Amino acid sequence: MLIAGLMFPALFALILLGLPIAFSLTIVAVGAGLAAFGSVAFNQLYGSFYSASTNFILSAIPMFILMGALLERSGIAERLFRVMNLWLSRLPGGLALATIAMGAIFAAAAGVVGAVEVMIGMMAIPAMQKARYGNTLIAGTICAGGSLGTMIPPSVIAVMYASLAQMSVGKLLAGMMLPGLLMVVLFLAYIFIHGLLYPAKPDDDDPVEEPVELAEKLRLTATVLLPVVLLIVAVLGSILAGIASPTEAAAVGAAGAIVLCIVNQRFSIAMLRESLAITVRISAMILLIVAAGTMFMGAFAANGGARLIREVIDGAGLGPTGMIVFFLAVVFILGFVLDWTANVLICVPLFTPFIRAAGIDPVWFATLVLIVIQTGYLTPPMASSIFYLKSIAPPNMTYGQMCRGVLPFILLQVLTLLLVVAFPALATWLPDRIVGF
Amino acid sequence: GAQAQEVTWRVPTSVPEGSPFYVNFLERFADNVGLLTDGAVEIQPFGAGILVPALQVYDGVKDGIVEAGHSTPSYLVNQDPVNAIFAGFPGGMGPEAYSTWIFEEGGKEKLAEIRAEEGLKSLVVGIGSSEIMAHANKPIKSAADLKGLKYRTSGPWAEVMRDYFDAVPTVVPPGEIYTLLERKGVDAIEWGPPSGNLPEGFHEAAPYIVVPGVHQPTFLWEVVVKQETWDALDEALRAKIEAAAELTTLQSLVHFYDQDMKAMETLRASKAEVIELDAAFQKELSDAGRDWIKKTAEAQKAEGKPRMAEILEGYFAYEDRWAEQSGYLIRNEK
Amino acid sequence: MKRAVLAVADRISASLNIVAQAMVLILIASMLYEVVARYVFGAPTLWAFDIAYMSTGVLFVLGAAQALREDAHVRIDFLSSRLPKRVRGAIDGLAFLVVLFPVFVWLASIAGQRAWRAWMTGEVEHVSPWAPLMWPFYSALAIGLCALALQLFAEGLRALTDPRDDDSCKIET
Ligand code: NA
Ligand code: NA
């Protein structure tokens, strides 16, 4: 158990030395794996690598990234944001508001965080920079918007959580709906106020935008905005109508993006190949972290990591409140290094018996855990959201700006958490009313 | 024991920690082993995918990654169909008859023989009750209702549904079953026994619940240990672990019955309608399943592998005797 | 000698990357076909799910080496960027050459053994009703891990002998 405890400091040290995250995870997993398994450690590590390589849930990631890459490379995203800017330029923080809204919409479709962030980031960052939004606001908006996949149904994380905790998937999805909406509203309100206080200032040498007449505005909207809205409707609608499962809907989105490029006469083989290259590069980066995280988790568990946590709970004699705080802290800390799949796999079975024994409402507790997972995903210095953003960020966006950018959104998530703590009905009221056929 | 032998086994299973199979089978086994060996043997259970890939528990033991593993012959049916007999198959024996066959008629010895060829010691750890045949968006009452039915299922039942009833077996990954059923992307799904399905909330997603589980009348899980690891234990410990396995299997079956009855009570009280198939249709389904497995065994025989046919013959003889004689048993049916 | 090693590693990574790109299209096509087959024809496939998870696995494993070549594996460099470039190069070089290269060679050899065993025993998918043979998928994983090991060797050499001075993870978008 000593080794399990040492794995985290070792990992932090390697990451701070500047080694890639995936390789830092691998090195620590190998060290701890050798301690737990001796000569067969590599068979075990390969098994973890294999588990991650055969995880169907991850299939949505390349498809959503390709969708974003195609829309960006073809110039459709740029035109889309230009049209949105025509309507939203007077609205403080208009493009950032639109980006969060898009994040929420695709969160509903994807349910896999990371993929949505990369997809939206590729489209929105150039547009927002062009409109002279600050890098911190851009970074925060992309990370926060892209992380909403945890909280907005049908979230794959929630489905997995419910299954592990032996609770109703439908009730949990319904329970998260109001807190998820609340979070979106808080994000929007913050960006709006931020936009009022610090409006985007065009540079002197920016070309002056000609005022566009209403007829032209409407024409552009119909030709540029509408097709993209149709694409979104196709993705979301195919899930809601029972035509496609959430993963299949990602394929609908990617194929729809290709069609959109062809219809807009923006399609070329070169453009497709560039988009595919970006897709493979970013997918490989994300999935190698997931695979290495799975190796890390196996070594952590084999060295008695779960027992370590359990013994702390038993030893500390915590009351219900203390226990909830401790559990959320564990989820938060594991979230620094583990991707959500690994985090949920380790934590949920560990906590569930204690939660049940203490008579705590499982939907309410699950909602808290999911909010914390999403917060962990956002919180520097080790934040998956920032790793992913780094993979698509332009050179002039610094790590410091990203960390400062997510800060307000972290606070808003903590606020959401506190509101759900203070008013459990936010999570428990809806499930009893809407679940059923 | 005067001289306590210290043995620790890391035992991964194929289902996530906390699921009914994990708690009822593997955790119970760990407790019973600790109890009967006075703590000389410690079983450390691990959920699916933590130490070895969920479906490769058998390989993990063979490769020596873990000392023992807990899984079901279901996952080996594709490699060798003889496993279907032990995994439970459509038209096969229900839990009462099957567990009696396993323990009294040499079923578990046959399974042990097969595993021994792979260098594994097999301990039966867990026999389950019948599954729910379907949570469905359309009522299923006769063979006609199965035609064209998009039905999430797997294994032998998928083949029976397709080949005998023109249903359309559909592959849906576990995380997407609920969503697809609720949105009517599939017409029907089967998953597990009532107490396993209840927490998944399928009865909230689809209006019909079809029973009984002729597709999966029972199921079996086993703990496998590498033969040399097993042989290294002293004789007294081996006997105690065998006893713990049998105790666990019997206790967990009774526990499953109890949990399932309570789950059925809840399911019947829910908005979903429970459809109990009539005897004639049940027989039609069961006969198709028996025909499927007989044909499979014949095909194996033709390939020079007569064992499946031999075991199956004994199995069916036992099932027939049970069917003919069990009328004396009081089952408290309504 | 060194240049030859680097060139071979780079060439292999680039070729596998093309296969990985094809996997993205196969993934999308299989999922779309499944939607159409199930919803329009009422006849879902037994293979789309297997193809989907396998192509995802293959695309990321085969793409990992090229991603390393392009330094796309994300790192946090706000501390290390303050170190002299020789020191940074030494950290990367030692980690890649001395630790990660042998680790991935070992993983690749296990992957190779699994592929060989699957070939010899005719292993098929455990639960899929389609029950495809598994050795092609296992082989792809083994090849990807080999390429990643080789590229780790190459990047380790580069980091030691010719450390890059710019901030890392700059990808043109
Ligand atoms: Na984090
Ligand atoms: Na089943």
Side-chain angles (χ1 to χ4, degrees):
Chain A
M1 282 197 285
L2 174 69
I3 292 172
L6 288 176
M7 285 177 77
F8 284 84
L11 180 71
F12 285 118
L14 290 176
I15 291 178
L16 289 180
L17 275 177
L19 291 178
I21 315 294
F23 295 132
S24 305
L25 283 162
T26 308
I27 292 174
V28 178
V30 168
L34 284 168
F37 293 101
S39 61
V40 291
F42 281 90
N43 291 72
Q44 193 276 329
L45 291 164
Y46 175 72
S48 293
F49 189 88
Y50 179 84
S51 290
S53 309
T54 53
N55 185 348
F56 175 76
I57 291 174
L58 303 173
S59 296
I61 291 176
M63 297 192 276
F64 272 111
I65 293 177
L66 180 66
M67 178 173 167
L70 285 167
L71 294 181
E72 191 261 332
R73 289 272 121 168
S74 64
I76 291 176
E78 195 200 331
R79 293 205 308 172
L80 170 71
F81 275 86
R82 208 189 310 142
V83 172
M84 288 202 290
N85 207 24
L86 288 180
W87 294 100
L88 300 173
S89 59
R90 279 153 200 268
L91 183 67
L95 283 188
L97 294 175
T99 303
I100 291 283
M102 238 171 159
I105 288 168
F106 278 106
V112 181
V113 292
V116 175
E117 178 185 327
V118 170
M119 178 186 75
I120 292 187
M122 278 191 288
M123 300 198 286
I125 292 173
M128 286 166 80
Q129 282 197 330
K130 210 169 199 178
R132 299 295 168 191
Y133 282 65
N135 272 353
T136 49
L137 180 68
I138 297 177
T141 305
I142 302 291
C143 289
S147 72
L148 287 167
T150 320
M151 288 301 292
I152 306 222
S155 141
V156 180
I157 310 180
V159 171
M160 195 161 135
Y161 185 115
S163 173
L164 285 168
Q166 296 290 303
M167 57 194 280
S168 156
V169 179
K171 289 221 167 92
L172 180 54
L173 291 177
M176 289 160 47
M177 218 174 266
L178 288 179
L181 265 177
L182 174 68
M183 198 182 278
V184 175
V185 169
L186 287 174
F187 286 0
L188 292 173
Y190 163 75
I191 291 173
F192 181 78
I193 293 168
H194 184 280
L196 276 180
L197 297 177
Y198 313 99
K201 283 198 200 74
D203 273 13
D204 295 337
D205 49 357
D206 278 355
V208 184
E209 293 272 339
E210 297 284 326
V212 180
E213 284 182 23
L214 184 65
E216 176 65 4
K217 257 190 187 177
L218 289 172
R219 192 191 67 78
L220 281 170
T221 305
T223 54
V224 176
L225 195 59
L226 211 59
V228 179
V229 170
L230 282 179
L231 178 62
I232 292 173
V233 168
V235 172
L236 261 191
S238 63
I239 298 177
L240 294 178
I243 296 171
S245 73
T247 307
E248 290 162 353
V252 172
I258 294 179
V259 171
L260 206 56
C261 292
I262 294 173
V263 171
N264 277 284
Q265 295 176 330
R266 297 291 183 121
F267 186 84
S268 71
I269 294 298
M271 190 272 292
L272 178 64
R273 291 210 45 189
E274 273 174 43
S275 303
L276 285 172
I278 295 171
T279 304
V280 168
R281 184 167 55 215
I282 297 175
S283 304
M285 182 279 288
I286 293 179
L287 294 180
L288 196 65
I289 293 179
V290 175
T294 312
M295 293 199 261
F296 186 94
M297 171 186 71
F300 179 70
N303 278 293
R307 260 185 307 148
L308 182 71
I309 296 172
R310 205 172 284 138
E311 278 175 21
V312 172
I313 302 170
D314 286 336
L318 299 166
T321 312
M323 201 167 71
I324 291 174
V325 171
F326 176 75
F327 284 159
L328 296 181
V330 169
V331 171
F332 185 68
I333 291 168
L334 289 181
F336 277 152
V337 292
L338 299 182
D339 105 285
W340 62 263
T341 330
N343 200 339
V344 164
L345 262 178
I346 287 187
C347 289
V348 174
L350 204 59
F351 299 166
T352 305
F354 292 98
I355 293 303
R356 208 169 279 158
I360 294 164
D361 186 299
V363 170
W364 176 69
F365 179 72
T367 307
L368 297 183
V369 169
L370 291 167
I371 296 175
V372 169
I373 284 184
Q374 198 185 314
T375 310
Y377 172 82
L378 220 56
T379 308
M382 314 273 244
S384 306
S385 66
I386 291 180
F387 303 161
Y388 299 160
L389 178 61
K390 264 196 112 189
S391 75
I392 51 160
N396 63 14
M397 188 183 279
T398 67
Y399 179 73
Q401 288 172 332
M402 297 179 196
C403 293
R404 282 198 301 282
V406 292
L407 202 63
F409 293 95
I410 293 168
L411 294 177
L412 293 175
Q413 298 202 344
V414 173
L415 179 60
T416 313
L417 182 79
L418 293 176
L419 285 171
V420 177
V421 168
F423 308 102
L426 274 172
T428 56
W429 181 78
L430 203 53
D432 294 331
R433 274 156 193 83
I434 64 165
V435 171
F437 33 81
Chain B
Q3 201 185 349
Q5 184 181 354
E6 283 302 325
V7 177
T8 305
W9 287 351
R10 284 184 285 232
V11 185
T13 183
S14 300
V15 288
E17 189 175 345
S19 81
F21 295 19
Y22 180 94
V23 176
N24 195 23
F25 293 162
L26 184 53
E27 271 190 338
R28 189 191 294 276
F29 179 60
D31 291 345
N32 281 336
V33 168
L35 185 70
L36 295 190
T37 66
D38 294 316
V41 177
E42 190 197 352
I43 302 282
Q44 293 181 354
F46 286 90
I50 306 282
L51 298 188
V52 299
L55 302 180
Q56 298 188 349
V57 169
Y58 291 97
D59 289 328
V61 178
K62 275 193 247 170
D63 292 345
I65 298 170
V66 284
E67 294 80 5
H70 182 237
S71 194
T72 165
S74 283
Y75 300 149
L76 298 177
V77 172
N78 276 358
Q79 318 297 336
D80 184 348
V82 72
N83 286 290
I85 301 177
F86 300 96
F89 59 89
M93 287 188 265
E96 284 174 313
Y98 177 75
S99 53
T100 317
W101 178 73
I102 282 285
F103 286 112
E104 297 294 325
E105 187 73 2
K108 93 179 147 74
E109 284 75 16
K110 297 239 166 39
L111 177 62
E113 246 171 64
I114 294 170
R115 294 293 176 259
E117 290 167 12
E118 309 263 308
L120 297 175
K121 162 72 187 168
S122 162
L123 299 156
V124 173
V125 174
I127 291 177
S129 51
S130 306
E131 295 193 346
I132 283 180
M133 193 183 110
H135 289 268
N137 285 311
K138 300 172 175 173
I140 299 171
K141 290 179 173 157
S142 69
D145 297 327
L146 290 173
K147 212 169 155 64
L149 189 84
K150 282 177 256 178
Y151 187 3
R152 188 231 85 102
T153 179
S154 58
W157 190 236
E159 291 185 40
V160 171
M161 282 291 102
R162 185 190 57 202
D163 298 343
Y164 294 77
F165 295 94
D166 291 328
V168 187
T170 308
V171 183
V172 183
E176 303 196 320
I177 294 177
Y178 181 91
T179 314
L180 217 51
L181 179 68
E182 197 224 7
R183 310 261 46 127
K184 300 187 173 53
V186 290
D187 301 317
I189 65 117
E190 58 90 11
W191 183 245
S195 58
N197 284 13
L198 182 64
E200 303 280 340
F202 296 134
H203 60 292
E204 292 162 350
Y208 301 101
I209 299 172
V210 185
V211 295
V214 283
H215 70 296
Q216 189 78 53
T218 185
F219 52 90
L220 174 144
W221 284 63
E222 59 183 324
V223 164
V224 289
V225 190
K226 219 174 185 181
Q227 193 67 50
E228 56 228 55
T229 313
W230 179 253
D231 292 341
L233 295 174
D234 67 43
E235 208 170 315
L237 276 187
R238 291 199 300 246
K240 285 172 184 170
I241 295 173
E242 298 254 23
E246 190 159 339
L247 177 65
T248 304
T249 302
L250 298 176
Q251 285 178 336
S252 56
L253 181 55
V254 174
H255 184 72
F256 249 124
Y257 285 142
D258 179 60
Q259 295 298 102
D260 283 347
M261 295 304 161
K262 288 170 180 159
M264 282 308 300
E265 202 171 22
T266 311
L267 294 178
R268 283 184 210 271
S270 76
K271 276 188 278 177
E273 178 193 341
V274 174
I275 298 175
E276 290 185 15
L277 301 180
D278 65 42
F281 184 35
Q282 278 186 48
K283 182 163 185 313
E284 198 179 346
L285 292 166
S286 294
D287 285 348
R290 288 166 65 114
D291 191 57
W292 171 86
I293 200 161
K294 276 182 193 153
K295 277 186 183 154
T296 308
E298 285 309 313
Q300 287 279 297
K301 202 171 172 180
E303 283 177 38
K305 291 181 244 172
R307 181 167 58 196
M308 184 175 178
E310 284 162 27
I311 299 177
L312 198 60
E313 197 180 339
Y315 178 102
F316 277 139
Y318 202 80
E319 184 174 355
D320 290 344
R321 184 203 290 154
W322 192 282
E324 268 155 43
Q325 308 306 332
S326 60
Y328 84 95
L329 261 182
I330 299 298
R331 285 227 182 70
N332 303 102
E333 282 159 20
K334 69 168 192 270
Chain C
M1 176 59 198
K2 183 190 131 198
R3 269 174 47 196
V5 170
L6 296 184
V8 168
D10 293 354
R11 176 67 69 82
I12 291 176
S13 299
S15 317
L16 293 181
N17 195 46
I18 307 240
V19 182
Q21 294 176 21
M23 288 297 142
V24 179
L25 295 178
I26 290 175
L27 166 64
I28 293 169
S30 67
M31 288 281 88
L32 273 185
Y33 186 86
E34 174 72 2
V35 171
V36 175
R38 190 180 59 235
Y39 189 72
V40 183
F41 306 132
T45 72
L46 292 179
W47 46 262
F49 169 71
D50 293 318
I51 293 290
Y53 90 70
M54 288 183 185
S55 52
T56 306
V58 170
L59 87 85
F60 110 81
V61 177
L62 293 189
Q66 181 67 18
L68 176 62
R69 174 74 197 96
E70 293 168 11
D71 200 18
H73 291 293
V74 178
R75 41 169 118 216
I76 300 301
D77 47 11
F78 71 97
L79 272 185
S80 64
S81 61
R82 287 163 209 192
L83 298 170
K85 99 179 186 185
R86 285 257 151 230
V87 177
R88 265 189 294 154
I91 294 173
D92 268 8
L94 290 178
F96 284 9
L97 277 179
V98 179
V99 185
L100 288 162
F101 171 64
V103 161
F104 276 90
V105 166
W106 205 325
L107 284 174
S109 92
I110 305 266
Q113 289 165 30
R114 293 293 288 117
W116 177 248
R117 186 162 86 192
W119 162 265
M120 290 303 286
T121 61
E123 181 181 331
V124 291
E125 225 287 343
H126 283 273
V127 291
S128 157
W130 181 41
L133 284 170
M134 287 305 280
W135 64 262
F137 179 64
Y138 284 127
S139 305
L141 296 187
I143 292 168
L145 284 167
C146 271
L148 184 55
L150 188 60
Q151 196 69 55
L152 277 163
F153 187 83
E155 295 308 310
L157 273 186
R158 282 197 173 102
L160 280 181
T161 57
D162 180 23
R164 63 181 93 222
D165 33 20
D166 61 336
D167 191 12
S168 61
C169 78
K170 289 296 161 281
I171 299 157
E172 81 287 0
T173 46

